[in-house]
Amino acid sequence: MARERTARKREEHEVEFSRIVAFSDGVFSIAITLLVLELKLPQHLQSGEIWHALGEQREQFLAYAISFAVIARFWLVHHSFFSEVKAFDSRLIGLNMLYLGFLVLIPFSSQVLGEYGGHLPAVVVYSANLTAVVLVGQWMAWDARHAGLAKADAQTERESLVRSAFISGVFLLSIVVALFDASIAPYMWLALFFEGRGHVIERISRRSSSP
Amino acid sequence: MARERTARKREEHEVEFSRIVAFSDGVFSIAITLLVLELKLPQHLQSGEIWHALGEQREQFLAYAISFAVIARFWLVHHSFFSEVKAFDSRLIGLNMLYLGFLVLIPFSSQVLGEYGGHLPAVVVYSANLTAVVLVGQWMAWDARHAGLAKADAQTERESLVRSAFISGVFLLSIVVALFDASIAPYMWLALFFEGRGHVIERISRRSSSP
Amino acid sequence: MARERTARKREEHEVEFSRIVAFSDGVFSIAITLLVLELKLPQHLQSGEIWHALGEQREQFLAYAISFAVIARFWLVHHSFFSEVKAFDSRLIGLNMLYLGFLVLIPFSSQVLGEYGGHLPAVVVYSANLTAVVLVGQWMAWDARHAGLAKADAQTERESLVRSAFISGVFLLSIVVALFDASIAPYMWLALFFEGRGHVIERISRRSSSP
Amino acid sequence: MARERTARKREEHEVEFSRIVAFSDGVFSIAITLLVLELKLPQHLQSGEIWHALGEQREQFLAYAISFAVIARFWLVHHSFFSEVKAFDSRLIGLNMLYLGFLVLIPFSSQVLGEYGGHLPAVVVYSANLTAVVLVGQWMAWDARHAGLAKADAQTERESLVRSAFISGVFLLSIVVALFDASIAPYMWLALFFEGRGHVIERISRRSSSP
């Protein structure tokens, strides 16, 4: 394949490779930390109003918790994908940039969610943003594996595909649910991240690999 | 133990391990630098009002100083804990993320403290935030040591436990104090960080280890 | 040459060299992530107004997309330039700082562009900012190559020069176009980044090297 | 000396040492990038008002340029100091944190300067902030050298001392000047950074070393 010839091996260009990873890590850590900026208490409150004002931020706290968990998990996936990357070319770097471009939007989507969590547009914006990250991430992984830049056994690859389809599916479903009641959607995502997702995915991907 | 078998050794996965540390360091350094954003002078003041406006920021400066010292110390503890980590698994990474999730809230709590330092809710928010960081940090350390991922001699471990209990205790106590006079609490924390805490802890942990 | 004698070899000062690169990467990743802060939805909207408010941010989304692509590309150029650097001196560090000084302005220029994209001043500010980054970058590269700090073959060097001239030219041209219709200019830049620029530059630089 | 015995050698604790440096670099790069946040154009201007509004930001642009140059130079000094550090202890880490604590205040001082550059309080705040950074930096360097943690020849040490005294002197002088005309002070600092300071310092430190 033409691409393999122009790809640079990781071990021969360790400094350049680690700059890509370091740049990505920098973006991840800044994006996750900027989430705190959406939490703000108004100034000049009376003593008795402070608890109330804090209580009014509960949607923002929920959005913070969800988005922190989401970005943390994306970082883990990114982390484990890049640990199997053996070579890189400008296409992988470009897709990684596109990936980061959607990832950096999450603090904005999270602000929208925190402010308008019970309304359809917020659910759509947030779901669309996260689905974009998942799909571009899957595209990047698929592309790198098929160009011989990353090595993954068939089981890992299948799991990664099923996981992406599953997450995207939940987000699309949450948009449908939000058409009826937008305030339920965020809890669907929370469930996605904290309940036995792994087991479901493992079972599906094993079943799909059995003859 | 089952966990030890799935844990990845640090020396065999140096790149992945250093990404975890680099990501944490990134979050620490951004969180500590974002503290400056809570300091703001209003626009369009007359010449004579500037000193006054600066004076009115003294609570914010105090909150900045406390929070900077607090995050710096947390970073040191994190730093010294991770220097004894010999292997890591997804559970350690997850606990580290939970730890960072509370750490990143500190700029928010610090803004609340700077704005409403003399009021009970601010003291509760700040104390609760910092106690959460300390307890999750202790949980992570305890868990890693008992899963064989980190190695610490008995004395270090005891000191770390006593220190966590001590800090949590001071914060809980400051909430009680704040029920009577909320403006005293911040000075209790300052004392905690600048006066001979180390000696107290050493003495307590030595005593508790003597037969 | 006097400068070569005071320059420090990269392989002998790997830690200092990698700090320069790490510092630059940090600045790049923060600048690119701060772009998200220009996206903001007003508070307290009615349910029916949210879609409308999102639609009103379309200029800001366009500015975000352009600026993200621009900074990502600058990072790639910086990345590939520093991979050919073999030694460094205080002059290279100084020029790199000047380069970063203009780069960090991009979130501001991008905010101006997002807010006033259809107006001449926004186009001038944005074009001037990006031209400054390109020219200082070219200056840094030219200077380092002629002081023997970086090694590039004649073809790479010619391509880099033609590219800088080309990009600067497009930005200057966009200012002229903006004198007539400022709303067209941003699309000129988008075209610059997504359409077959590489091929044009390769053809020009090959032609200019043929006898 | 007691301290030398508890200090950890750099080469034996390369990971921990590089985390200190990486954390510092992170703080430097974030602080320098946050400077851009003080540049802001008001929303909803008429087309004809944009140039005017940009012109009104000229003080902020000047403050940005000065502060960027200042932080960049501090980074260089920090960079070159840490390249001579051979061992570290908790005291060096603590002083480095104190140093960073003042450094992170610069975006605030810079905002004050950009807003109220022609007024005495702004000059005092900015000068005091920068003098604090210089003095703590000098303290850290002096302390590390005399505890045997860093190695510097007598000439370097003398130059570093004279430089700190010189910079502090200029800032104190600028406060005196600001008592008469506050708008001149920023230009004194600019001169400090761009004109032949190096030569003056070299001459003074050579003279002071001659018998």
Side-chain angles (χ1 to χ4, degrees), chain A residues 32-33 64 68, chain B residues 20 23-25 27-28 31 78 93-106 133 136 140:
Chain A
I32 213 169
T33 312
Y64 172 81
F68 200 97
Chain B
I20 300 167
F23 179 79
S24 305
D25 280 350
V27 170
F28 269 104
H78 191 268
I93 297 178
L95 283 172
N96 190 41
M97 283 295 180
L98 187 64
Y99 177 87
L100 294 176
F102 283 111
L103 185 94
V104 167
L105 284 175
I106 293 179
V133 177
V136 174
M140 173 169 68

Side-chain angles (χ1 to χ4, degrees), chain A residues 50-207:
Chain A
I50 305 176
W51 281 124
H52 182 71
L54 281 167
E56 285 208 319
Q57 295 268 310
R58 67 180 178 281
E59 299 275 325
Q60 273 85 351
F61 280 112
L62 183 64
Y64 172 81
I66 295 174
S67 299
F68 200 97
V70 162
I71 298 183
R73 188 163 281 273
F74 283 150
W75 181 79
L76 282 171
V77 173
H78 191 269
H79 179 99
S80 94
F81 165 63
F82 265 84
S83 74
E84 52 172 84
V85 168
K86 300 297 168 226
F88 60 99
D89 58 6
S90 62
R91 189 177 162 87
L92 175 58
I93 296 178
L95 283 171
N96 190 43
M97 283 295 179
L98 187 63
Y99 177 87
L100 295 176
F102 283 111
L103 185 94
V104 168
L105 284 174
I106 293 178
F108 167 71
S109 301
S110 187
Q111 187 231 345
V112 174
L113 184 71
E115 197 67 42
Y116 302 108
H119 301 285
L120 180 62
V123 174
V124 173
V125 165
Y126 200 78
S127 295
N129 191 166
L130 267 58
T131 304
V133 177
V134 170
L135 293 183
V136 174
Q138 181 59 34
W139 178 15
M140 173 168 68
W142 188 90
D143 191 84
R145 283 163 191 153
H146 283 78
L149 304 177
K151 232 172 214 147
D153 56 277
Q155 171 68 5
T156 305
E157 208 173 319
R158 207 162 34 232
E159 249 181 71
S160 141
L161 242 165
V162 173
R163 182 181 292 121
S164 299
F166 185 66
I167 298 177
S168 312
V170 170
F171 280 118
L172 292 178
L173 191 68
S174 74
I175 293 178
V176 176
V177 169
L179 288 170
F180 301 97
D181 188 344
S183 60
I184 298 173
Y187 298 96
M188 289 180 62
W189 310 330
L190 262 187
L192 182 69
F193 280 90
F194 290 119
E195 278 168 53
R197 203 191 55 174
H199 305 284
V200 177
I201 287 166
E202 259 174 61
R203 242 176 297 140
I204 294 175
S205 59
R206 262 182 216 140
R207 201 181 303 162

Side-chain angles (χ1 to χ4, degrees), chain B:
Chain B
M1 202 178 289
R3 242 180 108 193
E4 273 181 85
R5 269 177 282 143
T6 62
R8 277 163 289 172
K9 291 263 168 56
R10 178 178 174 162
E11 58 262 41
E12 290 164 22
H13 297 81
E14 195 56 64
V15 172
E16 283 100 275
F17 181 78
S18 67
R19 271 195 79 178
I20 300 167
V21 170
F23 179 79
S24 305
D25 280 350
V27 170
F28 269 104
S29 57
I30 300 154
I32 212 170
T33 311
L34 287 185
L35 292 173
V36 75
L37 297 185
E38 69 193 66
L39 301 171
K40 278 251 161 75
L41 221 55
Q43 294 186 298
H44 309 302
L45 296 175
Q46 298 298 314
S47 188
E49 300 168 327
I50 306 176
W51 282 124
H52 182 73
L54 282 167
E56 286 207 319
Q57 295 268 310
R58 67 180 178 283
E59 299 274 325
Q60 274 84 352
F61 280 112
L62 183 64
Y64 171 82
I66 295 174
S67 300
F68 199 97
V70 161
I71 298 183
R73 189 164 279 273
F74 283 151
W75 181 79
L76 282 171
V77 173
H78 191 268
H79 179 100
S80 94
F81 165 63
F82 265 84
S83 73
E84 51 172 83
V85 168
K86 300 297 167 226
F88 60 98
D89 59 5
S90 63
R91 189 176 161 89
L92 175 58
I93 297 178
L95 283 172
N96 190 41
M97 283 295 180
L98 187 64
Y99 177 87
L100 294 176
F102 283 111
L103 185 94
V104 167
L105 284 175
I106 293 179
F108 167 72
S109 300
S110 187
Q111 187 231 346
V112 174
L113 184 71
E115 197 67 42
Y116 302 108
H119 301 283
L120 180 63
V123 173
V124 173
V125 165
Y126 200 78
S127 295
N129 190 167
L130 265 58
T131 304
V133 177
V134 171
L135 293 183
V136 174
Q138 181 58 34
W139 179 13
M140 173 169 68
W142 188 90
D143 192 84
R145 283 163 190 155
H146 283 80
L149 304 177
K151 228 169 217 149
D153 55 277
Q155 170 68 5
T156 305
E157 209 173 318
R158 208 162 34 231
E159 249 181 71
S160 140
L161 241 164
V162 174
R163 181 179 294 121
S164 298
F166 185 67
I167 299 177
S168 311
V170 169
F171 280 118
L172 292 178
L173 190 68
S174 74
I175 293 179
V176 176
V177 169
L179 287 170
F180 300 97
D181 187 345
S183 60
I184 297 172
Y187 298 96
M188 290 178 61
W189 309 331
L190 262 188
L192 182 69
F193 280 90
F194 290 118
E195 279 167 53
R197 203 191 57 174
H199 306 284
V200 177
I201 288 165
E202 259 174 60
R203 242 176 296 141
I204 296 175
S205 59
R206 262 181 215 141
R207 202 180 303 162
S208 74
S209 73
S210 58

Side-chain angles (χ1 to χ4, degrees), chain C residues 69-113:
Chain C
V70 161
I71 298 183
R73 189 163 280 271
F74 283 150
W75 180 78
L76 282 171
V77 174
H78 191 268
H79 178 100
S80 94
F81 165 63
F82 265 84
S83 73
E84 51 173 84
V85 168
K86 300 296 167 225
F88 61 100
D89 58 6
S90 62
R91 189 176 161 88
L92 175 58
I93 297 177
L95 283 171
N96 190 42
M97 283 296 180
L98 186 63
Y99 177 88
L100 295 176
F102 283 111
L103 186 96
V104 167
L105 284 174
I106 293 179
F108 167 71
S109 301
S110 186
Q111 186 230 348
V112 174
L113 185 71

Side-chain angles (χ1 to χ4, degrees), chain A residues 16 19 93 101 104 115-116 119, chain C residues 25 36 42 45 47 64 79:
Chain A
E16 282 100 275
R19 270 196 79 178
I93 296 178
V104 168
E115 197 67 42
Y116 302 108
H119 301 285
Chain C
D25 279 351
V36 75
L45 296 174
S47 187
Y64 171 82
H79 178 100

